[in-house]
Amino acid sequence: MDALPKYLPADERRAATVEAVVDLAANQNPAEITTAAIAQRMGLTQGALFRHFPTKDSILEAVMGWVSERLLARVDAARDAAGSPIAALEAVFLAHIDFVASHPGVPRMLFGELQRAGDTLPKRAVQALIRHYAGRITTLLERAKDAGQVDASVNVAAAAVQFIGSIQGLVIQATLEGYPERMRERAPAIFILYRRGIEVRP
């Protein structure tokens, strides 16, 4: 990232900090990202960075808020543009994968926060995101059942877990391979397999 202008409004400076952390996390272990590295990425001193964020955890909390806001907005838009509940599930699946492929540092940070010991604000933010996301999937599955698109015997809670787990599996595999764009290539076929497991049989 190029050095930012010396003077920026506080909101813009905070947004730029979040962007810097997400960019750094794409190429290194998020746990090893220091405030010094963030400041350097932004062309700032640590003192200037701490004028906007008093601690590293406050930076991470802002990052998690950014992820939650943008991911949920993207999947909501995909859901609302779909013509049926089952089509909405597919649209959400693909939109989620596209978001992660565009921001490969995000899953590294989410998994990293969930592994941290103790009850931290960033960890709570990740847990809240997962709850909100799972709620959306559960609602879509219920609607698909009501519409006769998902088999009435399907356990909705289990199906929501499998939906999220399918995305996580794709993300982990592509991350291990070092090619995030492969998520986009594989996602449609993975969703077809998921759909076959829950849809009403002809």
Side-chain angles (χ1 to χ4, degrees):
M1 177 183 291
D2 296 332
L4 294 165
K6 187 173 181 180
Y7 300 106
L8 280 178
D11 288 348
E12 289 184 32
R13 182 68 73 192
R14 284 191 284 268
T17 303
V18 167
E19 184 180 330
V21 175
V22 172
D23 288 346
L24 286 167
N27 298 303
Q28 68 181 94
N29 182 349
E32 297 173 356
I33 298 174
T34 63
T35 52
I38 298 168
Q40 182 179 21
R41 180 86 170 185
M42 299 175 67
L44 298 175
T45 64
Q46 284 192 76
L49 183 62
F50 285 132
R51 281 198 289 273
H52 299 283
F53 295 98
T55 64
K56 183 180 176 182
D57 264 4
S58 66
I59 297 174
L60 295 177
E61 185 183 6
V63 172
M64 296 312 152
W66 180 92
V67 171
S68 181
E69 179 183 344
R70 282 166 178 70
L71 175 59
L72 294 179
R74 185 172 294 196
V75 300
D76 285 351
R79 175 200 63 199
D80 295 344
S84 71
I86 199 73
L89 281 167
E90 181 175 12
V92 166
F93 191 94
L94 298 179
H96 189 155
I97 289 295
D98 185 67
F99 177 83
V100 175
S102 299
H103 305 286
V106 166
R108 291 172 178 263
M109 300 198 69
L110 295 181
F111 290 136
E113 287 305 316
L114 289 173
Q115 293 177 60
R116 289 178 68 183
D119 183 24
T120 66
L121 287 174
K123 186 174 183 178
R124 272 187 252 163
V126 175
Q127 292 168 335
L129 167 60
I130 293 170
R131 285 195 303 273
H132 290 311
Y133 189 92
R136 284 163 164 78
I137 302 308
T138 299
T139 298
L140 279 176
L141 286 164
E142 293 285 8
R143 290 176 182 170
K145 261 192 177 186
D146 292 342
Q149 296 178 316
V150 165
D151 193 282
S153 66
V154 167
N155 182 313
V156 169
V161 170
Q162 187 180 18
F163 183 98
I164 296 170
S166 297
I167 291 173
Q168 290 171 337
L170 273 168
V171 170
I172 290 171
Q173 186 173 5
T175 300
L176 289 173
E177 293 171 348
Y179 296 102
E181 64 277 5
R182 287 183 181 169
M183 285 182 263
R184 292 190 180 100
E185 299 169 7
R186 295 167 175 164
I190 296 298
F191 184 81
I192 288 172
L193 290 175
Y194 174 78
R195 178 173 177 167
R196 286 175 180 169
I198 63 171
E199 67 185 349
V200 173
R201 300 296 181 188

